[in-house]
Amino acid sequence: MNETKDFISYAVDFDGTLSINKQFPEIGDANVFLFDFLIDERKKGNKVILYTCRSGQLLDNAIAFCMERGLHFDAVNANLPENIAKYGGDTRKIHADYYIDDRMLYFPSVGFHCIDLRPLVNKETATA
């Protein structure tokens, strides 16, 4: 059975990805390029999952930081409701079409493509 969905899902990390130029647990500057991209994707009907190691008050602070800048999440450290219903539960691994993380490795031999955001982030922070 070939099921299709009408959205793209992104799982995005917070520290070093949405928040840059500070070390955990501090919150740094907003990665404006990434915020703009994800906000635009949600406007298109796509889904954004906050996928972070933060919990408790540190997680609440990260969510508030994002919401103050216009980025809202369809899920936080959990699968999307559509995937929970489809697979009959909320698995430990968050399912997404794309993962955005400062700790991501790129293996071209695996046969997938990724966009390296580091030059864009570095360019932005160099002018800030």
Side-chain angles (χ1 to χ4, degrees), residues 12-14 18 48-52 59 62-63 73 75-78:
V12 61
D13 183 32
F14 184 76
L18 287 167
V48 178
I49 303 165
L50 179 60
Y51 191 31
T52 178
L59 176 60
I63 294 169
F73 299 104
V76 176
N77 289 336

Side-chain angles (χ1 to χ4, degrees), residues 6-77:
D6 57 354
F7 62 86
I8 298 168
S9 57
Y10 299 92
V12 61
D13 183 32
F14 184 76
D15 294 289
T17 306
L18 287 167
S19 167
I20 55 176
N21 300 328
K22 292 281 184 179
Q23 295 296 315
F24 175 86
E26 293 182 65
I27 295 178
D29 301 318
N31 181 341
V32 177
F33 171 81
L34 185 54
F35 269 82
D36 289 347
F37 171 77
L38 293 172
I39 290 167
D40 286 346
E41 287 301 299
R42 285 196 81 240
K43 287 178 183 174
K44 294 175 189 174
N46 295 318
K47 310 283 183 163
V48 178
I49 303 165
L50 179 60
Y51 191 31
T52 178
C53 293
R54 286 177 175 251
S55 62
Q57 188 61 51
L58 294 174
L59 176 60
D60 293 343
N61 294 344
I63 294 169
F65 175 84
C66 294
M67 291 179 66
E68 288 166 4
R69 287 152 182 82
L71 179 58
H72 300 267
F73 299 104
D74 299 285
V76 176
N77 289 336

Side-chain angles (χ1 to χ4, degrees), residues 78-91:
N79 281 292
L80 294 169
E82 296 90 343
N83 287 331
I84 294 171
K86 180 178 178 179
Y87 297 111
D90 191 8
T91 62

Side-chain angles (χ1 to χ4, degrees), residues 8 14 29 37 43 90 100-101 112-114 122 125 127:
I8 298 168
F14 184 76
D29 301 318
F37 171 77
K43 287 178 183 174
D90 191 8
I100 305 171
D101 194 315
F112 67 88
H113 302 282
C114 75
N122 292 339
T125 57
T127 60

